[in-house]
Amino acid sequence: MTLTLTVSDEVRTLVPGFTHLAVEARGLVNGPSNADSSALLDDAARRLAARLDGRAPHEDPHMAAWRAAYTAFGAKPSRTRNSAEALAKRALTDAGLPRINRLVDLYNAISVAHLIPVGGEDTDHITGGMRLVRATGEEPFPTVAGGEAAVEHPEPGEVVWCDDEGVTCRRWNWRQGVRTRLTEESVNAVFLLESLTPMTRGELDTAGVELAESLEKLSPGARITVRAAE
């Protein structure tokens, strides 16, 4: 069954230049980070450095657009960076990018190489469809605080991804929830690539194709579908 993804009119009005692309995959094989997934991350860091050519990530026009979007719904973009900018900053440090698991490594590599926020959700743990909305502030967001399970709530007006159970990602693409994140046991997933003007449709599609091809190499036989925003 195809997962339904909707963007509310409130979000479209707030940030008119937003679009997204979804890569759905079934029958994936995940596992601990390995040499192949580590190589993808190292290559992405090299591509990022060449792309920026000495600039800081937030000086890239696409990252600047995301900073403006965060400001529009009341977030402080220098404190709560979009996922692509946060990863890019880590990629440029001596410590480099974290190794999580093969699927997360893969989509993090795409995010860094193309400077685009990319998220991965375990569709077996999603209830109903996924919606990008402005929060009321009442929605539950299961997370971990101080090593213990906790439930937070978004700020009223905050842009969040949610399903019928609650928030799956806070501040658009800043912090993913624990309920739907990809683990080593995940076999079915949806990957969301999110772009703003000035990123072109062609650039978004190129990133999506690269993600789909990498998934096919990681999990031969997986059923993969690329869907543009309707």
Side-chain angles (χ1 to χ4, degrees):
M1 183 175 178
T2 300
L3 178 69
T4 301
L5 298 164
T6 57
V7 178
S8 72
D9 290 340
E10 283 187 317
V11 173
R12 293 191 185 281
T13 299
L14 184 73
V15 186
F18 173 70
T19 191
H20 68 274
L21 183 149
V23 179
E24 292 187 61
R26 301 189 66 81
L28 293 166
V29 177
N30 199 9
S33 301
N34 60 12
D36 289 339
S37 68
S38 186
L40 287 174
L41 291 169
D42 289 340
D43 179 63
R46 287 190 291 269
R47 291 165 66 182
L48 172 70
R51 177 191 183 114
L52 291 175
D53 192 23
R55 295 175 298 157
H58 70 266
E59 295 177 290
D60 178 87
H62 193 215
M63 294 299 92
W66 276 106
R67 284 199 166 206
Y70 271 46
T71 300
F73 67 80
K76 292 181 172 60
S78 60
R79 182 180 301 172
T80 54
R81 296 178 176 87
N82 75 80
S83 63
E85 184 183 334
L87 277 174
K89 282 182 68 66
R90 292 191 67 171
L92 297 173
T93 66
D94 291 338
L97 289 163
R99 272 59 173 165
I100 309 297
N101 60 56
R102 291 173 206 168
L103 287 176
V104 175
D105 291 353
L106 188 157
Y107 78 73
N108 280 348
I110 297 296
S111 176
V112 168
H114 293 269
L115 261 186
I116 179 174
V118 182
E121 307 283 354
D122 188 324
T123 51
D124 290 331
H125 294 284
I126 292 172
T127 303
M130 290 183 64
R131 302 177 298 281
L132 187 67
V133 300
R134 300 198 71 179
T136 65
E138 298 298 318
E139 300 90 344
F141 177 70
T143 186
V144 175
E148 300 291 331
V151 176
E152 297 177 353
H153 298 275
E155 298 292 330
E158 182 181 319
V159 176
V160 297
W161 278 103
C162 62
D163 66 359
D164 290 352
E165 287 192 44
V167 175
T168 58
C169 196
R170 283 199 60 188
R171 292 180 187 154
W172 211 317
N173 47 46
W174 168 64
R175 179 184 292 170
Q176 185 181 32
V178 296
R179 174 169 56 90
T180 59
R181 66 185 177 187
L182 296 176
T183 69
E184 292 179 17
E185 289 72 41
S186 298
V187 294
N188 302 312
V190 61
F191 302 88
L192 291 174
L193 295 82
E194 302 180 291
S195 72
L196 297 173
T197 307
M199 176 172 270
T200 67
R201 181 80 232 182
E203 290 171 322
L204 175 61
D205 289 342
T206 295
V209 167
E210 184 176 338
L211 174 58
E213 290 175 347
S214 294
L215 287 170
E216 288 171 352
K217 291 178 183 177
L218 175 70
S219 300
R223 301 179 299 282
I224 299 168
T225 306
V226 179
R227 288 197 293 138
E230 298 178 358

